[in-house]
Structure formats: C-alpha cells, structure tokens
Amino acid sequence: MDVDLRLVRYFTIVAEHGNFGRAATRLHLAQPSLSRQIQRLEAQLGARLFDRSPQGSSLTDAGQAFLPRARILLQQAEQAARTARAAVQPHTLTVGCAEGLLITAWTQELRRRHPESQVRTRHLDWRDTRALTEGRVDALIAYKPLPFPTDGFRVTALHEEPRVLVTSASHPLANEKAISLRALSDEELVACVSTPVVWSTPKPLGDHPAPPQPAIDDSFEDKLELVATGHCIAIFPAGDRRAAAREDIALVPLTDTDPCEVVLVTRTDDPNPLLGSLQDIARTVPGTGSPRENSALPRPAAASPPSVATQP
C-alpha cells in the first residue's frame, strides 16, 4: 500500500485540533481542500478515521488505532531524511557549551580530524534550555545537574571535576592550599537546582549590613560581585574559570566534597557521524576542566556537598 506521508501529517494535525477548520488554518489550507485530502487518506486505508459533527471531529476506533502509528511513521520518515542528507552533504556540527566550560581544545581537535567539516560553537546561558530541542546546537557539553528534562536525549558522562571555594582575596581562607568543607560550617550555603554552583547567603561585613538575597534574574556577575566584596562565598567546579581572571577573588581547592560531572548531551535519533568523534575527543583529549588539567587539585573524598536550600 502506498500511503502519502503528506496526508498522514494532515491527519495528525486534524486529530490534534479536533476540528477541520482550526487544522486548515494551521496548515494554511482551505477547509474543503483539507476535507478532501483526509477522504483520500481514508480511501487509501479503507477505513473512516473521523466522525464529523457540527461540534467538531472525533477519532473513530480506526482513527485512534492509526494515530500513534502515524506519528511514529512521520518521525521515522524525518529521521530517514536526516540520515540521507547527512550522507551526501558536508558534515556540520554546532557544539553548545554551558556557562563556565571552555571547549576550545576539543573543537580544535575535531576540526583537525575532520578538515572537510564545519564545526561551530555556541556558548549558552544557563537559562537557555531549548537549544538542543530547537536544533540550534547539535551537542551540548555541560555540568550536571541539567536544567531540562532528558527524555529524547542521550547523556554521556565525560569526566569528573573537584570543587573549589571561591572567596574574596581578603578572606581568611583565601591563602590556604586546600580546605575542608567543615571550615565553612558558619556559612549558610544554598545549592542551585540547575547548575552545580553553591552560593552562600550574603552576610554583613564590618559596619556594612548584608546586601539583599540575590534575585532569580541576577546575573552570574551580579552574584560574583558579592563574593568579591566579601559578603558571601561560593563553591564552583574546578574547571569553571570565570572567577579566576579577577585579582580580588581567590580559588581554594576543597578536599571533601563530591565531584562535579561533565556530560555530553545529544539528541537520541541524531545520525550525525561527527558526534561519535566529538565524544571520543572529549573523553581523551585534555581540555579546560578535564581530569589531566585538574590533576594538581586534591581529589574529593566521598561526601555530599552542603545544601540547606536550593535556588534556580
């Protein structure tokens, strides 16, 4: 049986809206034309798919049985088309990078191994949770926890990083070679729910009262200002070097916290052959935040980082 995929798509849109008029508007078709197309599909299948009434259209038993298979058919057709295009077109790959991670060494090696391919990078704000879903990137390298559901994605562990204390350069702990988490027992630590960063609640400093608690829309730099002035501290993954460029901020290795995990996230059905090469490179080539670069930092003992509260 030859089934027209265009008609199958029309069927799923009508089923979604439950109304031929709204579905026709969505498809930019005249309603009588859409009705004729659905009738063609019903003739091809030999079964009536909709019960039509002035109130709308409802699926028949045959329509209900056909709908999930129709959606799978369209998904498989799109995947087959992507696979075919990937086989004949020059390969391209856009690699997304979450805040705090640098992937230059990995993308340079990917370009060296695949000089005929186009490799792009896109640095993403932690609030940008739909870059993979919308196809703006083909892969994402990020810290866990991930700020979006992972259904439909493949999550591959790359490596682990120790954590560091981030504090003002004048803090009493700033010149320590390494410290234990127990040294921070007087701090009220707040773990983010969508990044591995832990911030402390701002405290008064000398005669200066404590600043307000950071708001959800405050930028990373806004919060880092509170660290630089000594009003709070933070705990970062060791590979997050955004604070290292500031002379008024110190980084001190922590010795007894669980490590942070760096992962590669891709779409489950993506056939792009460059993804396998990227995964191999990210696991084996030293780069910012990789185990080899952080080998001088103390490795953490198995203990959970503190978290008396969470924030976005």
Side-chain angles (χ1 to χ4, degrees), residues 8-277:
V8 173
R9 177 170 175 266
Y10 290 171
F11 161 74
T12 62
I13 298 299
V14 176
E16 176 185 337
H17 289 276
N19 181 282
F20 272 78
R22 289 193 294 269
T25 299
R26 162 88 175 272
L27 293 166
H28 304 289
L29 293 173
Q31 182 174 336
S33 174
L34 178 58
S35 296
R36 289 194 296 271
Q37 301 297 342
I38 296 300
Q39 289 169 359
R40 284 183 55 199
L41 178 61
E42 291 174 327
Q44 290 179 0
L45 298 176
R48 186 165 51 86
L49 300 174
F50 291 103
D51 284 326
R52 300 162 175 82
S53 71
Q55 288 73 36
S57 302
S58 59
L59 290 168
T60 63
D61 290 343
Q64 290 177 351
F66 182 55
L67 180 58
R69 291 163 178 80
R71 287 171 172 158
I72 292 173
L73 183 63
L74 293 173
Q75 291 171 356
Q76 291 177 336
E78 176 58 28
Q79 183 178 358
R82 286 201 302 266
T83 302
R85 289 193 295 267
V88 299
Q89 294 178 349
H91 298 312
T92 63
L93 190 73
T94 301
V95 185
C97 177
E99 286 183 317
L101 278 166
L102 295 177
I103 56 174
T104 306
W106 295 339
T107 53
Q108 283 182 332
E109 177 62 15
L110 191 62
R111 293 184 181 106
R112 188 191 69 79
R113 295 187 188 184
H114 304 276
E116 76 290 350
S117 301
Q118 296 180 354
V119 178
R120 303 184 181 95
T121 59
R122 184 185 294 270
H123 286 258
L124 302 172
D125 185 276
W126 67 269
R127 300 177 183 87
D128 190 352
T129 61
R130 296 189 56 81
L132 264 176
T133 303
E134 295 174 353
R136 287 183 281 116
V137 300
D138 303 301
L140 173 66
I141 296 174
Y143 291 110
K144 292 184 73 175
L146 295 169
F148 53 84
T150 56
D151 296 341
F153 298 115
R154 181 183 294 109
V155 181
T156 304
L158 298 178
H159 63 259
E160 293 181 337
E161 292 181 9
R163 300 179 190 245
V164 294
L165 171 68
V166 182
T167 185
S168 70
S170 59
H171 193 281
L173 298 175
N175 295 320
E176 297 291 329
K177 292 183 178 180
I179 63 169
S180 165
L181 195 62
R182 290 186 292 273
L184 308 179
S185 58
D186 292 339
E187 301 286 347
E188 183 180 352
L189 299 174
V190 183
C192 297
V193 296
S194 54
T195 77
V197 175
V198 177
W199 302 93
S200 72
T201 301
K203 298 168 62 175
L205 185 63
D207 296 332
H208 302 285
Q213 182 74 19
I216 189 172
D217 58 346
D218 282 353
S219 69
F220 172 87
E221 289 73 19
D222 293 328
K223 295 179 179 179
L224 207 58
E225 282 296 319
L226 296 176
V227 174
T229 57
H231 286 287
C232 72
I233 62 170
I235 296 174
F236 283 11
D240 186 337
R241 312 302 294 175
R242 288 176 290 178
R246 296 186 57 151
E247 294 183 356
D248 53 358
I249 288 179
L251 306 182
V252 184
L254 282 170
T255 59
D256 55 359
T257 60
D258 280 344
C260 301
E261 187 175 8
V262 179
V263 296
L264 170 67
V265 190
T266 58
R267 292 182 290 272
T268 302
D269 62 351
D270 196 329
N272 194 322
L274 292 178
L275 291 173
S277 186

